[in-house]
Amino acid sequence: MEQVERQPVSLYLHIPFCVRKCRYCDFLSGPAKEEERAQYLAALAREIKGAGKILSRDGREVDTIFFGGGTPTLLSAKEIGHLMFLLSLCFRIRSDAEITMECNPGTADFEKLSALRDMGINRLSIGVQSFHDGELSLLGRIHTKEEALHCIESARRAGFANLNLDLMSALPGQTYESWMDNLKTAVSCEPEHLSCYSLIMEEGTPFFRMQQRGKLPPLPSDEEDRRMYHDTKSFLASFGYVRYEISNYAKPGFSCLHNEGYWTGHEYLGLGSGAASLYQNVRFSNTRDFGAYCRAFQEGEPAFDTDVCAGGTKTYERVTREDAMSEFCFLGLRRMDGISLSAFRKRFDRDFLEVFGEPVKKHTEEGLLARDGDTFFLTDRGIDISNYVLCDFLLT
Protein backbone atom coordinates (compact mmCIF):
# COMPACT_ATOMS: atom_id res chain seq x y z
CA MET A 1 0.00 0.00 0.00
CA GLU A 2 1.20 3.51 -0.81
CA GLN A 3 2.75 5.69 1.87
CA VAL A 4 0.33 7.87 3.84
CA GLU A 5 1.63 11.43 3.94
CA ARG A 6 0.75 13.86 6.71
CA GLN A 7 -1.82 15.65 4.62
CA PRO A 8 -4.73 17.56 6.19
CA VAL A 9 -7.88 15.63 7.12
CA SER A 10 -11.54 16.52 6.54
CA LEU A 11 -14.23 16.28 9.21
CA TYR A 12 -17.88 15.37 8.67
CA LEU A 13 -20.38 15.82 11.52
CA HIS A 14 -23.72 14.08 11.15
CA ILE A 15 -26.71 15.88 12.68
CA PRO A 16 -29.59 13.43 12.17
CA PHE A 17 -32.48 15.68 13.22
CA CYS A 18 -35.16 17.15 10.97
CA VAL A 19 -38.64 18.62 11.35
CA ARG A 20 -40.11 15.70 9.45
CA LYS A 21 -38.90 13.08 7.02
CA CYS A 22 -39.24 14.03 3.35
CA ARG A 23 -41.03 11.50 1.17
CA TYR A 24 -37.99 10.73 -1.01
CA CYS A 25 -35.41 10.62 1.78
CA ASP A 26 -33.53 7.46 2.79
CA PHE A 27 -30.85 9.30 4.81
CA LEU A 28 -30.23 8.51 8.46
CA SER A 29 -32.45 11.26 9.86
CA GLY A 30 -35.75 11.97 11.56
CA PRO A 31 -37.53 14.03 14.23
CA ALA A 32 -36.26 13.77 17.81
CA LYS A 33 -37.42 14.85 21.24
CA GLU A 34 -35.42 17.45 23.18
CA GLU A 35 -34.03 14.81 25.56
CA GLU A 36 -32.87 12.61 22.66
CA ARG A 37 -31.22 15.58 21.02
CA ALA A 38 -29.34 16.44 24.22
CA GLN A 39 -28.15 12.83 24.60
CA TYR A 40 -26.93 12.75 21.03
CA LEU A 41 -25.05 16.04 21.24
CA ALA A 42 -23.36 14.91 24.47
CA ALA A 43 -22.24 11.70 22.74
CA LEU A 44 -21.06 13.63 19.69
CA ALA A 45 -19.06 15.97 21.93
CA ARG A 46 -17.25 13.03 23.50
CA GLU A 47 -16.53 11.53 20.10
CA ILE A 48 -15.10 14.87 18.94
CA LYS A 49 -12.71 14.83 21.91
CA GLY A 50 -11.60 11.28 21.16
CA ALA A 51 -11.05 12.01 17.47
CA GLY A 52 -9.15 15.16 18.33
CA LYS A 53 -6.65 13.18 20.38
CA ILE A 54 -5.98 10.86 17.44
CA LEU A 55 -5.31 13.68 14.97
CA SER A 56 -3.21 15.52 17.56
CA ARG A 57 -1.17 12.37 18.16
CA ASP A 58 -0.61 12.01 14.42
CA GLY A 59 0.19 15.67 13.85
CA ARG A 60 -2.69 16.19 11.41
CA GLU A 61 -4.53 19.41 10.60
CA VAL A 62 -8.13 19.84 9.45
CA ASP A 63 -8.78 21.69 6.19
CA THR A 64 -12.54 21.20 5.66
CA ILE A 65 -15.50 20.66 7.99
CA PHE A 66 -18.99 19.71 6.85
CA PHE A 67 -22.13 19.66 9.01
CA GLY A 68 -24.62 17.37 7.26
CA GLY A 69 -27.87 15.68 8.13
CA GLY A 70 -30.71 15.73 8.63
CA THR A 71 -30.99 19.43 9.15
CA PRO A 72 -28.05 20.87 11.11
CA THR A 73 -29.71 24.29 11.27
CA LEU A 74 -32.47 22.72 13.37
CA LEU A 75 -29.99 23.01 16.24
CA SER A 76 -30.03 26.25 18.22
CA ALA A 77 -27.26 28.79 17.72
CA LYS A 78 -26.07 27.92 21.22
CA GLU A 79 -25.83 24.20 20.39
CA ILE A 80 -23.97 24.87 17.15
CA GLY A 81 -21.71 27.33 18.94
CA HIS A 82 -20.78 24.67 21.50
CA LEU A 83 -19.86 22.22 18.71
CA MET A 84 -17.76 24.86 16.96
CA PHE A 85 -15.98 25.67 20.24
CA LEU A 86 -15.21 21.97 20.80
CA LEU A 87 -13.87 21.61 17.26
CA SER A 88 -11.57 24.60 17.70
CA LEU A 89 -10.42 23.22 21.06
CA CYS A 90 -9.78 19.64 19.90
CA PHE A 91 -8.43 20.07 16.35
CA ARG A 92 -5.82 22.14 14.58
CA ILE A 93 -8.08 23.81 12.06
CA ARG A 94 -6.43 25.69 9.23
CA SER A 95 -7.14 29.40 9.16
CA ASP A 96 -8.45 29.11 5.59
CA ALA A 97 -10.53 25.98 6.26
CA GLU A 98 -13.79 25.58 4.34
CA ILE A 99 -16.57 25.09 6.92
CA THR A 100 -19.93 24.14 5.43
CA MET A 101 -23.31 23.77 7.08
CA GLU A 102 -26.36 22.30 5.39
CA CYS A 103 -29.42 24.48 5.89
CA ASN A 104 -33.10 23.97 5.13
CA PRO A 105 -35.30 27.02 4.56
CA GLY A 106 -37.64 27.49 7.47
CA THR A 107 -35.07 26.41 10.09
CA ALA A 108 -32.73 29.43 10.13
CA ASP A 109 -33.69 33.09 10.32
CA PHE A 110 -31.39 36.07 9.81
CA GLU A 111 -30.33 36.12 13.47
CA LYS A 112 -29.29 32.47 13.46
CA LEU A 113 -27.52 32.77 10.12
CA SER A 114 -25.64 35.82 11.39
CA ALA A 115 -24.59 33.85 14.46
CA LEU A 116 -23.35 30.97 12.28
CA ARG A 117 -21.29 33.33 10.17
CA ASP A 118 -19.80 34.93 13.29
CA MET A 119 -18.81 31.44 14.54
CA GLY A 120 -16.64 30.90 11.48
CA ILE A 121 -18.99 28.87 9.28
CA ASN A 122 -18.18 30.26 5.84
CA ARG A 123 -20.17 28.14 3.41
CA LEU A 124 -23.91 27.44 3.46
CA SER A 125 -25.56 24.65 1.49
CA ILE A 126 -29.29 25.38 1.21
CA GLY A 127 -31.64 22.48 0.45
CA VAL A 128 -34.03 24.27 -1.90
CA GLN A 129 -34.81 21.24 -4.14
CA SER A 130 -37.42 23.22 -6.12
CA PHE A 131 -38.82 26.72 -6.55
CA HIS A 132 -42.31 25.36 -7.35
CA ASP A 133 -44.65 25.08 -4.38
CA GLY A 134 -46.48 22.09 -5.89
CA GLU A 135 -43.24 20.16 -6.28
CA LEU A 136 -42.11 21.12 -2.77
CA SER A 137 -45.42 19.91 -1.31
CA LEU A 138 -45.19 16.61 -3.17
CA LEU A 139 -41.62 16.11 -1.92
CA GLY A 140 -42.75 16.69 1.65
CA ARG A 141 -40.53 19.75 2.15
CA ILE A 142 -41.45 22.13 4.97
CA HIS A 143 -40.83 25.35 3.02
CA THR A 144 -42.30 27.29 0.13
CA LYS A 145 -40.64 29.10 -2.78
CA GLU A 146 -40.91 32.42 -0.96
CA GLU A 147 -39.33 30.97 2.18
CA ALA A 148 -36.46 29.58 0.11
CA LEU A 149 -35.85 32.96 -1.51
CA HIS A 150 -36.04 34.66 1.88
CA CYS A 151 -33.48 32.20 3.32
CA ILE A 152 -31.06 32.95 0.47
CA GLU A 153 -31.51 36.69 0.93
CA SER A 154 -31.01 36.37 4.70
CA ALA A 155 -27.83 34.36 4.17
CA ARG A 156 -26.40 37.11 1.98
CA ARG A 157 -27.29 39.79 4.53
CA ALA A 158 -25.65 37.66 7.21
CA GLY A 159 -22.38 37.79 5.28
CA PHE A 160 -22.23 34.43 3.48
CA ALA A 161 -20.21 34.84 0.29
CA ASN A 162 -20.20 31.14 -0.60
CA LEU A 163 -23.65 29.63 -1.12
CA ASN A 164 -24.69 26.31 -2.62
CA LEU A 165 -28.26 25.56 -3.67
CA ASP A 166 -29.46 21.94 -3.95
CA LEU A 167 -31.98 21.26 -6.73
CA MET A 168 -33.70 18.01 -7.77
CA SER A 169 -34.77 17.09 -11.28
CA ALA A 170 -36.83 14.24 -12.78
CA LEU A 171 -39.48 14.60 -10.07
CA PRO A 172 -42.92 12.98 -10.42
CA GLY A 173 -45.00 15.20 -12.67
CA GLN A 174 -42.09 17.53 -13.42
CA THR A 175 -41.79 18.87 -16.95
CA TYR A 176 -38.76 20.07 -18.83
CA GLU A 177 -40.19 23.59 -18.67
CA SER A 178 -40.68 23.54 -14.89
CA TRP A 179 -37.14 22.25 -14.39
CA MET A 180 -35.66 25.00 -16.55
CA ASP A 181 -37.76 27.52 -14.62
CA ASN A 182 -36.15 26.20 -11.41
CA LEU A 183 -32.71 26.79 -12.92
CA LYS A 184 -33.64 30.32 -14.04
CA THR A 185 -34.82 31.20 -10.55
CA ALA A 186 -31.69 29.65 -9.04
CA VAL A 187 -29.24 31.64 -11.19
CA SER A 188 -31.19 34.83 -10.47
CA CYS A 189 -30.10 34.32 -6.83
CA GLU A 190 -26.46 34.25 -7.99
CA PRO A 191 -25.20 31.38 -5.81
CA GLU A 192 -21.55 30.43 -6.12
CA HIS A 193 -22.39 26.72 -6.41
CA LEU A 194 -25.27 24.53 -7.58
CA SER A 195 -25.83 20.82 -6.94
CA CYS A 196 -28.35 19.40 -9.42
CA TYR A 197 -29.39 15.81 -8.77
CA SER A 198 -31.89 13.55 -10.47
CA LEU A 199 -34.38 11.94 -8.10
CA ILE A 200 -33.54 8.34 -7.23
CA MET A 201 -36.57 6.34 -6.12
CA GLU A 202 -35.11 4.57 -3.08
CA GLU A 203 -36.78 1.41 -1.85
CA GLY A 204 -38.37 1.83 1.59
CA THR A 205 -39.18 5.52 1.19
CA PRO A 206 -42.77 6.86 1.12
CA PHE A 207 -42.19 7.86 -2.52
CA PHE A 208 -41.30 4.29 -3.42
CA ARG A 209 -44.44 2.94 -1.74
CA MET A 210 -46.60 5.64 -3.32
CA GLN A 211 -45.21 4.75 -6.75
CA GLN A 212 -45.89 1.06 -6.16
CA ARG A 213 -49.53 1.90 -5.36
CA GLY A 214 -49.88 4.23 -8.34
CA LYS A 215 -50.30 7.28 -6.09
CA LEU A 216 -47.60 9.42 -7.74
CA PRO A 217 -47.73 11.46 -10.94
CA PRO A 218 -45.67 9.78 -13.67
CA LEU A 219 -41.92 10.26 -13.63
CA PRO A 220 -40.30 11.97 -16.63
CA SER A 221 -39.13 9.50 -19.28
CA ASP A 222 -35.47 8.58 -19.52
CA GLU A 223 -35.23 10.81 -22.59
CA GLU A 224 -36.73 13.77 -20.70
CA ASP A 225 -34.42 13.11 -17.75
CA ARG A 226 -31.35 13.15 -20.02
CA ARG A 227 -32.56 16.29 -21.79
CA MET A 228 -32.89 18.02 -18.42
CA TYR A 229 -29.39 16.90 -17.46
CA HIS A 230 -27.63 17.92 -20.66
CA ASP A 231 -29.42 21.25 -20.97
CA THR A 232 -28.58 22.01 -17.34
CA LYS A 233 -24.90 21.99 -18.28
CA SER A 234 -25.30 24.32 -21.27
CA PHE A 235 -27.72 26.65 -19.47
CA LEU A 236 -25.55 27.03 -16.38
CA ALA A 237 -22.42 27.44 -18.51
CA SER A 238 -24.00 30.52 -20.07
CA PHE A 239 -24.06 32.05 -16.58
CA GLY A 240 -20.46 31.16 -15.79
CA TYR A 241 -20.98 27.90 -13.90
CA VAL A 242 -18.55 25.09 -14.69
CA ARG A 243 -19.58 21.46 -14.27
CA TYR A 244 -16.69 19.95 -12.32
CA GLU A 245 -18.41 16.74 -11.19
CA ILE A 246 -21.31 14.74 -12.58
CA SER A 247 -23.92 16.67 -10.55
CA ASN A 248 -22.06 19.76 -9.35
CA TYR A 249 -21.52 23.18 -10.89
CA ALA A 250 -19.54 26.13 -9.57
CA LYS A 251 -18.30 29.58 -10.42
CA PRO A 252 -14.49 29.52 -10.83
CA GLY A 253 -12.82 29.11 -7.46
CA PHE A 254 -15.97 27.89 -5.67
CA SER A 255 -15.99 24.12 -6.08
CA CYS A 256 -16.80 22.35 -2.80
CA LEU A 257 -13.41 21.51 -1.30
CA HIS A 258 -14.91 19.03 1.15
CA ASN A 259 -16.59 16.97 -1.59
CA GLU A 260 -13.54 17.31 -3.82
CA GLY A 261 -11.67 15.61 -1.00
CA TYR A 262 -13.98 12.58 -1.13
CA TRP A 263 -13.49 12.32 -4.89
CA THR A 264 -9.69 12.59 -4.74
CA GLY A 265 -8.98 10.15 -1.91
CA HIS A 266 -8.49 12.79 0.82
CA GLU A 267 -8.67 11.23 4.30
CA TYR A 268 -11.66 12.11 6.43
CA LEU A 269 -13.23 11.37 9.81
CA GLY A 270 -17.00 11.05 10.12
CA LEU A 271 -18.43 11.86 13.54
CA GLY A 272 -21.97 10.99 14.63
CA SER A 273 -24.34 8.09 14.10
CA GLY A 274 -23.83 6.30 10.80
CA ALA A 275 -20.92 8.56 9.82
CA ALA A 276 -18.16 6.97 7.72
CA SER A 277 -14.41 7.55 7.87
CA LEU A 278 -11.33 6.81 5.78
CA TYR A 279 -8.12 7.08 7.77
CA GLN A 280 -4.74 5.38 7.45
CA ASN A 281 -6.01 2.94 4.80
CA VAL A 282 -8.94 1.82 6.95
CA ARG A 283 -12.58 2.51 6.19
CA PHE A 284 -14.85 2.47 9.24
CA SER A 285 -18.37 3.57 10.13
CA ASN A 286 -20.31 4.33 13.28
CA THR A 287 -23.43 2.36 14.07
CA ARG A 288 -26.62 3.67 12.46
CA ASP A 289 -28.52 2.79 15.65
CA PHE A 290 -29.24 6.10 17.39
CA GLY A 291 -29.55 4.57 20.86
CA ALA A 292 -26.46 2.38 20.48
CA TYR A 293 -24.41 5.37 19.35
CA CYS A 294 -25.50 7.46 22.37
CA ARG A 295 -24.87 4.60 24.81
CA ALA A 296 -21.38 3.97 23.42
CA PHE A 297 -20.33 7.47 24.40
CA GLN A 298 -22.20 7.84 27.69
CA GLU A 299 -19.08 7.52 29.82
CA GLY A 300 -15.53 8.52 29.07
CA GLU A 301 -14.09 8.56 25.59
CA PRO A 302 -14.18 5.12 23.92
CA ALA A 303 -11.23 4.03 21.85
CA PHE A 304 -11.12 5.91 18.56
CA ASP A 305 -8.67 3.83 16.61
CA THR A 306 -8.47 2.34 13.14
CA ASP A 307 -7.47 -1.04 14.56
CA VAL A 308 -9.88 -1.35 17.50
CA CYS A 309 -13.62 -1.90 17.34
CA ALA A 310 -15.00 0.30 20.13
CA GLY A 311 -17.78 -1.49 21.93
CA GLY A 312 -19.18 -3.06 18.78
CA THR A 313 -20.38 0.34 17.55
CA LYS A 314 -18.07 0.55 14.54
CA THR A 315 -17.52 -1.58 11.47
CA TYR A 316 -14.03 -1.76 9.99
CA GLU A 317 -12.60 -2.68 6.60
CA ARG A 318 -8.96 -2.38 5.69
CA VAL A 319 -8.56 -0.87 2.22
CA THR A 320 -6.45 -3.14 0.02
CA ARG A 321 -4.20 -1.89 -2.75
CA GLU A 322 -6.71 -3.19 -5.31
CA ASP A 323 -9.58 -1.44 -3.50
CA ALA A 324 -7.65 1.83 -3.52
CA MET A 325 -6.85 1.61 -7.24
CA SER A 326 -10.49 0.87 -8.11
CA GLU A 327 -11.74 3.71 -5.95
CA PHE A 328 -9.24 6.04 -7.59
CA CYS A 329 -11.01 5.28 -10.88
CA PHE A 330 -14.61 5.31 -9.56
CA LEU A 331 -14.16 8.68 -7.90
CA GLY A 332 -11.88 10.17 -10.51
CA LEU A 333 -14.28 9.47 -13.34
CA ARG A 334 -17.08 11.29 -11.48
CA ARG A 335 -15.02 14.45 -11.89
CA MET A 336 -14.80 16.24 -15.21
CA ASP A 337 -11.02 16.44 -14.76
CA GLY A 338 -11.03 12.66 -14.96
CA ILE A 339 -8.20 10.29 -14.04
CA SER A 340 -4.64 11.55 -14.10
CA LEU A 341 -2.20 8.88 -15.28
CA SER A 342 0.74 10.61 -13.59
CA ALA A 343 -1.19 10.91 -10.30
CA PHE A 344 -2.02 7.19 -10.49
CA ARG A 345 1.65 6.31 -11.00
CA LYS A 346 2.77 8.61 -8.19
CA ARG A 347 0.28 7.11 -5.75
CA PHE A 348 0.54 3.43 -6.66
CA ASP A 349 3.87 3.14 -8.51
CA ARG A 350 2.03 1.37 -11.34
CA ASP A 351 1.25 2.28 -14.92
CA PHE A 352 -2.48 2.98 -15.20
CA LEU A 353 -2.87 1.28 -18.57
CA GLU A 354 -1.07 -1.83 -17.36
CA VAL A 355 -3.71 -2.19 -14.65
CA PHE A 356 -6.82 -0.97 -16.46
CA GLY A 357 -5.90 -1.26 -20.13
CA GLU A 358 -8.75 -3.66 -20.96
CA PRO A 359 -11.70 -1.54 -19.69
CA VAL A 360 -10.07 1.61 -21.06
CA LYS A 361 -9.79 0.07 -24.54
CA LYS A 362 -13.37 -1.27 -24.42
CA HIS A 363 -15.01 1.98 -23.33
CA THR A 364 -12.84 4.21 -25.52
CA GLU A 365 -13.91 2.19 -28.57
CA GLU A 366 -17.55 2.54 -27.41
CA GLY A 367 -17.17 6.31 -27.22
CA LEU A 368 -17.76 6.38 -23.46
CA LEU A 369 -14.20 7.29 -22.44
CA ALA A 370 -11.83 9.81 -24.01
CA ARG A 371 -8.24 10.85 -23.45
CA ASP A 372 -6.70 14.30 -23.32
CA GLY A 373 -2.96 14.14 -22.69
CA ASP A 374 -2.43 12.82 -19.16
CA THR A 375 -6.10 12.22 -18.36
CA PHE A 376 -8.96 9.88 -19.17
CA PHE A 377 -12.51 11.16 -18.64
CA LEU A 378 -16.11 10.17 -19.32
CA THR A 379 -17.69 11.56 -22.47
CA ASP A 380 -21.24 12.92 -22.31
CA ARG A 381 -22.48 9.51 -23.46
CA GLY A 382 -20.34 7.87 -20.81
CA ILE A 383 -21.82 10.06 -18.10
CA ASP A 384 -25.32 8.96 -19.12
CA ILE A 385 -24.43 5.33 -18.39
CA SER A 386 -21.59 5.88 -15.93
CA ASN A 387 -22.45 2.87 -13.75
CA TYR A 388 -21.97 0.59 -16.74
CA VAL A 389 -18.48 2.04 -17.27
CA LEU A 390 -17.42 2.20 -13.64
CA CYS A 391 -18.22 -1.42 -12.79
CA ASP A 392 -15.49 -2.52 -15.22
CA PHE A 393 -12.87 -0.79 -13.08
CA LEU A 394 -13.54 -3.06 -10.13
CA LEU A 395 -10.49 -5.24 -9.43
CA THR A 396 -11.60 -8.65 -8.07
Side-chain angles (χ1 to χ4, degrees):
M1 181 62 67
E2 71 278 7
Q3 289 290 317
V4 177
E5 300 177 6
R6 287 195 174 185
Q7 297 295 324
V9 177
S10 294
L11 296 180
Y12 172 82
L13 283 81
H14 187 64
I15 309 298
F17 312 120
C18 55
V19 175
R20 68 169 182 243
K21 195 88 166 173
C22 295
R23 290 172 174 159
Y24 59 88
C25 179
D26 74 333
F27 296 151
L28 183 59
S29 61
K33 298 177 181 177
E34 187 174 339
E35 181 181 354
E36 293 173 321
R37 194 160 88 179
Q39 289 175 348
Y40 182 83
L41 291 176
L44 181 59
R46 284 188 282 271
E47 189 181 17
I48 288 171
K49 293 174 185 176
K53 289 182 178 180
I54 295 299
L55 292 198
S56 178
R57 178 200 70 188
D58 296 343
R60 308 292 288 275
E61 292 183 312
V62 169
D63 62 350
T64 73
I65 301 172
F66 197 103
F67 290 83
T71 306
T73 46
L74 202 57
L75 298 180
S76 68
K78 182 178 179 180
E79 289 169 328
I80 296 169
H82 182 60
L83 290 175
M84 288 293 291
F85 171 74
L86 277 176
L87 291 171
S88 67
L89 194 66
C90 298
F91 298 96
R92 288 168 50 200
I93 301 172
R94 287 190 166 182
S95 59
D96 61 349
E98 176 192 88
I99 306 178
T100 302
M101 177 162 284
E102 290 184 343
C103 169
N104 280 344
T107 64
D109 57 16
F110 171 73
E111 287 72 22
K112 182 184 284 188
L113 292 171
S114 295
L116 299 183
R117 188 66 194 90
D118 290 343
M119 292 171 197
I121 295 165
N122 52 32
R123 184 174 183 273
L124 203 64
S125 181
I126 303 176
V128 174
Q129 313 311 350
S130 173
F131 286 104
H132 288 269
D133 287 343
E135 292 176 353
L136 290 168
S137 177
L138 183 64
L139 290 169
R141 304 294 289 175
I142 65 168
H143 66 273
T144 63
K145 171 185 176 180
E146 288 307 312
E147 288 169 328
L149 292 172
H150 180 68
C151 181
I152 295 166
E153 186 269 336
S154 295
R156 289 301 195 199
R157 285 199 294 126
F160 282 95
N162 192 352
L163 291 183
N164 169 63
L165 304 184
D166 280 345
L167 295 174
M168 294 181 69
S169 63
L171 304 178
Q174 189 177 57
T175 64
Y176 173 84
E177 289 72 22
S178 67
W179 169 245
M180 295 306 295
D181 185 63
N182 277 330
L183 290 179
K184 290 172 185 175
T185 304
V187 298
S188 73
C189 299
E190 301 184 331
E192 285 68 33
H193 191 283
L194 283 160
S195 296
C196 301
Y197 298 96
S198 296
L199 171 69
I200 298 176
M201 199 68 72
E202 300 286 0
E203 191 170 352
T205 61
F207 254 19
F208 184 84
R209 294 190 292 272
M210 291 167 71
Q211 184 187 43
Q212 296 295 98
R213 297 197 301 267
K215 300 295 185 181
L216 278 181
L219 293 169
S221 66
D222 289 343
E223 292 75 16
E224 290 172 312
D225 179 21
R226 289 298 84 193
R227 184 186 177 201
M228 290 178 187
Y229 179 78
H230 290 298
D231 286 1
T232 294
K233 176 189 173 183
S234 56
F235 177 80
L236 292 181
S238 69
F239 287 88
Y241 294 91
V242 177
R243 185 178 70 186
Y244 68 97
E245 191 269 347
I246 286 179
S247 301
N248 287 277
Y249 304 78
K251 292 287 184 70
F254 286 97
S255 60
C256 177
L257 300 181
H258 185 85
N259 286 340
E260 285 266 52
Y262 291 143
W263 302 322
T264 56
H266 197 62
E267 290 189 309
Y268 55 91
L269 294 182
L271 310 177
S273 61
S277 303
L278 175 64
Y279 191 66
Q280 295 183 340
N281 296 322
V282 178
R283 193 179 303 284
F284 50 103
S285 300
N286 283 334
T287 176
R288 293 174 61 88
D289 186 305
F290 182 92
Y293 173 79
C294 292
R295 288 191 297 273
F297 289 90
Q298 276 180 345
E299 296 181 4
E301 295 164 16
F304 192 105
D305 200 303
T306 56
D307 294 317
V308 178
C309 183
T313 61
K314 294 184 186 293
T315 57
Y316 290 84
E317 177 189 4
R318 187 160 293 279
V319 179
T320 67
R321 184 179 177 81
E322 289 72 24
D323 291 337
M325 287 192 289
S326 292
E327 288 172 9
F328 184 93
C329 297
F330 299 158
L331 299 173
L333 288 174
R334 286 193 61 89
R335 301 170 66 245
M336 297 305 103
D337 285 349
I339 297 169
S340 164
L341 278 65
S342 58
F344 186 90
R345 178 179 286 281
K346 180 179 178 181
R347 182 171 173 186
F348 300 107
D349 195 28
R350 293 286 304 277
D351 182 271
F352 175 76
L353 291 175
E354 286 182 5
V355 182
F356 293 107
E358 188 174 329
V360 165
K361 182 175 185 294
K362 171 186 173 183
H363 295 304
T364 300
E365 290 176 349
E366 293 173 333
L368 306 178
L369 274 180
R371 181 173 183 174
D372 182 10
D374 183 57
T375 63
F376 277 97
F377 56 91
L378 289 173
T379 64
D380 283 346
R381 278 191 59 221
I383 289 172
D384 286 343
I385 51 174
S386 58
N387 287 342
Y388 163 71
V389 178
L390 297 181
C391 69
D392 281 344
F393 286 85
L394 179 64
L395 294 174
T396 54

